[in-house]
Amino acid sequence: MEYIVVRDPTAVARYAADMIEGEITSNGGILLGLAGGSTPRSTYEELAGRSIDWSDTTAWMTDGRWVPPDHDDANQKMVRESLVGPTDVSFLAPDTTIGSVRESADAFSERIVPLALSSSRSIVLLGIGADGHTASLFPGSPALAYDGVRYVDNYVERLGVWRLTATFDLLATAHVVVFLVTGSAKAPIVASIAAGADVPSAHVTARERVLWLLDEAAASGL
Ligand code: 6PG
């Protein structure tokens, strides 16, 4: 487990933004997978505040909740507010207004999979839940067993909700995956994974490296 520990959430956001800005600058544009939840918002806001040429970059939502795109719980709403709106970066997210969750996942697969397989430089940002889930790959959920580079629907029994998520194989097309983890509430799961816990986040791979970017609170159990 490769990790970098920085002081606090602001330092995580700045470090992550530096990494992404550097990737864009040195590659002339990237495919950028974005995490949902609350942690990454500060990274997106940090990126939006910088003078970055986004014209050859495409961002995409690594998972979504089965809610309308403008719902307060929608990951894509948070991303549009914090990054896409201010920068006008090209952004792909599942259309949760069409038919069924399966139709939405299949339609999004058709858009993102060709890009993921052909991208010359792909970076994915992920978060982690206290139960070890990442994206919407939750412990015990059906999608953990889905192979293939694709986007799928996934019923999360514990929450009683449908989600949409990249499969492990789709996440693994990234050259680099960066987990953004802050706060003492995440310290136990971070320590568990470092000790070998079998949770979804521990099964994420990448073509080059998987980096855990932690603040001191989240790293306090290491
Ligand atoms: C989601 C995310 C999920 C998130 C973790 C951590 O839809 O909730 O995709 O995987 O990254 O739940 O969320 P926080 O950053 O809010 O702790």
Side-chain angles (χ1 to χ4, degrees), residues 35-40 63 65 75 127-129 133-136 163 186:
S38 59
T39 302
D63 77 310
R65 289 99 182 263
N75 285 331
I128 182 172
H133 79 263
T134 191
S136 282
R163 291 283 189 101
K186 303 289 175 72

Side-chain angles (χ1 to χ4, degrees), residues 31-170:
L31 182 65
L32 179 60
L34 299 177
S38 59
T39 302
R41 187 175 190 126
S42 53
T43 295
Y44 304 155
E45 289 170 343
E46 176 68 28
L47 283 166
R50 299 187 181 194
S51 178
I52 296 172
D53 178 2
W54 294 96
S55 55
D56 293 322
T57 289
T58 297
W60 62 283
M61 202 71 245
T62 58
D63 77 310
R65 289 99 182 263
W66 183 236
V67 295
D70 59 351
H71 191 284
D72 282 347
D73 290 346
N75 285 331
Q76 59 182 287
K77 180 174 186 283
M78 180 273 289
V79 168
R80 292 185 199 282
E81 288 171 349
S82 58
L83 181 63
V84 178
T87 65
D88 202 27
V89 59
S90 174
F91 177 53
L92 303 177
D95 181 352
T96 56
T97 66
I98 61 174
S100 67
V101 59
R102 172 65 54 85
E103 288 167 346
S104 177
D106 289 349
F108 193 63
S109 267
E110 288 177 19
R111 299 178 70 196
I112 189 59
V113 168
L115 294 178
L117 293 176
S118 62
S119 173
S120 57
R121 192 67 181 166
S122 171
I123 309 297
V124 165
L125 302 177
L126 291 174
I128 182 172
D131 62 356
H133 79 263
T134 191
S136 282
L137 298 165
F138 283 78
S141 65
L144 298 185
Y146 296 171
D147 57 9
V149 177
R150 55 195 175 116
Y151 215 80
V152 296
D153 54 292
N154 192 29
Y155 187 69
V156 184
E157 193 81 32
R158 180 171 64 80
L159 302 176
V161 297
W162 282 96
R163 291 283 189 101
L164 299 123
T165 187
T167 58
F168 284 118
D169 287 343
L170 175 49

Side-chain angles (χ1 to χ4, degrees), residues 145-221:
Y146 296 171
D147 57 9
V149 177
R150 55 195 175 116
Y151 215 80
V152 296
D153 54 292
N154 192 29
Y155 187 69
V156 184
E157 193 81 32
R158 180 171 64 80
L159 302 176
V161 297
W162 282 96
R163 291 283 189 101
L164 299 123
T165 187
T167 58
F168 284 118
D169 287 343
L170 175 49
L171 296 174
T173 62
H175 293 89
V176 181
V177 169
V178 184
F179 280 93
L180 305 177
V181 193
T182 63
S184 56
K186 303 289 175 72
I189 192 62
V190 168
S192 297
I193 291 169
D198 179 13
V199 294
S201 297
H203 294 280
V204 171
T205 60
R207 295 189 214 183
E208 295 175 3
R209 63 194 284 230
V210 176
L211 173 67
W212 292 74
L213 180 53
L214 313 169
D215 70 356
E216 289 172 356
S220 58

